[in-house]
Amino acid sequence: MKKIIVAIDGYSSCGKSTIAKDLARYAGYTYVDTGAMYRAVALFMMTDPRCQTPEPVRSLVSLLPEIDIRFALQADGSQHLLLNGEDVESRIRSLEVGSKASEVSPVKEVRRYLVEAQQRMGADKGIVMDGRDIGTVVFPNAELKLFLTASPEVRAKRRFDELVAKGELPVYADVLQDVNTRDYRDTHRTESPLRKAEDAVVIDNSHLTREEQMQVIRDIFNKAVKD
Ligand code: DC
């Protein structure tokens, strides 16, 4: 069976990473969470003393070559993001870092730097990558492209539950507002706005269980590796 690249794009909190991880496990492929990479760059800007300037984004851009991002496979099969060797997996998941990530992700130099790193990660195929521009910019020739979507309310509820599970005390209205703000930013930025690739398969999972959705995606995957 041939090895392929699976590109998964979609709005924030629509379950992309859950699906991508499930599919990677099923296929025996490597999973790459590109949102985590943008979050790591945001965390770098928030914490590196050299970015505490009147123009933090400008400082960040000049320091990009010093940012090393890798994924470390854990014993339980999950991946943790290492920022310059430090495991920042749990720190990059906060609402604050997510919101900063949507400020740094429109920056052209940041995108160029991370897209190149992502293309290197997929050079040998056998990869499931999720993000916003995977099927359109990072791997426009991916053999399988999925575009996931769900209503803003369903996505806000999912993110709310995730934050509660992590011990944060979110307010639902704030989370919904954040989802809407991010959707707007993701779809309206000049650099690689979120949009469906013409050849992507759309999956609206507002009313699908994880298992139902997985079944649909496995069928699509099995067909794609046979073609
Ligand atoms: O999927 P996420 O919430 O972890 O993504 C964090 C931010 O990074 C979000 O604002 C969208 C942005 N992003 C992007 O611009 N391109 C990607 N390929 C992945 C994420």
Side-chain angles (χ1 to χ4, degrees):
M1 230 184 292
K2 66 177 180 190
K3 264 199 192 173
I4 65 168
I5 291 180
V6 183
I8 304 186
D9 290 304
Y11 293 97
S12 68
S13 304
C14 65
K16 286 189 304 291
S17 63
T18 307
I19 282 303
K21 277 182 218 161
D22 280 353
L23 181 59
R25 201 173 309 119
Y26 173 74
Y29 282 14
T30 303
Y31 164 59
V32 178
D33 171 1
T34 61
M37 298 170 78
Y38 287 91
R39 286 167 179 266
V41 168
L43 180 66
F44 180 90
M45 184 175 82
M46 290 161 76
T47 54
D48 192 282
R50 292 166 295 174
C51 292
Q52 310 318 304
T53 60
E55 290 188 84
V57 172
R58 188 187 279 246
S59 312
L60 169 71
V61 166
S62 70
L63 292 167
L64 283 172
E66 292 188 29
I67 303 183
D68 179 63
I69 292 176
R70 288 162 203 254
F71 290 93
L73 191 62
Q74 308 298 296
D76 65 358
S78 66
Q79 308 237 27
H80 280 195
L81 190 138
L82 305 186
L83 172 59
N84 290 337
E86 186 190 346
D87 186 334
V88 293
E89 184 59 35
S90 72
R91 290 173 72 197
I92 59 170
R93 302 295 164 191
S94 71
L95 206 51
E96 199 194 352
V97 174
S99 159
K100 226 8 134 194
S102 85
E103 282 175 36
V104 301
S105 60
V107 179
K108 151 166 122 268
E109 292 85 351
V110 170
R111 299 207 74 81
R112 196 177 309 134
Y113 186 69
L114 292 183
V115 166
E116 281 174 15
Q118 290 152 10
Q119 288 171 335
R120 284 194 296 274
M121 291 173 180
D124 296 330
K125 303 211 176 194
I127 198 161
V128 179
M129 189 173 278
D130 75 7
R132 304 293 190 287
D133 58 342
I134 313 306
T136 50
V137 175
V138 183
F139 295 119
N141 296 324
E143 291 83 352
L144 176 58
K145 299 179 186 177
L146 302 174
F147 190 86
L148 298 193
T149 169
S151 73
E153 291 74 19
V154 167
R155 290 185 284 126
K157 176 71 172 68
R158 289 180 189 155
R159 183 157 289 236
F160 176 87
D161 291 344
E162 266 169 35
L163 292 167
V164 169
K166 262 188 260 136
E168 294 192 26
L169 293 170
V171 174
Y172 174 79
D174 294 348
V175 181
L176 179 59
Q177 167 75 47
D178 192 67
V179 163
N180 284 321
T181 306
R182 268 203 244 184
D183 284 1
Y184 187 84
R185 279 195 193 143
D186 285 352
T187 49
H188 286 78
R189 65 184 181 214
T190 350
E191 283 298 318
S192 312
L194 169 65
R195 63 181 176 81
K196 183 186 96 58
E198 268 175 27
D199 49 350
V201 180
V202 179
I203 298 172
D204 182 335
N205 64 23
S206 303
H207 306 293
L208 292 180
T209 65
R210 179 169 170 176
E211 204 31 61
E212 286 164 347
Q213 179 174 227
M214 203 45 222
Q215 198 48 56
V216 171
I217 289 173
R218 279 180 191 166
D219 292 346
I220 298 173
F221 172 80
N222 286 329
K223 186 167 176 307
V225 287
K226 252 193 252 136
D227 286 347

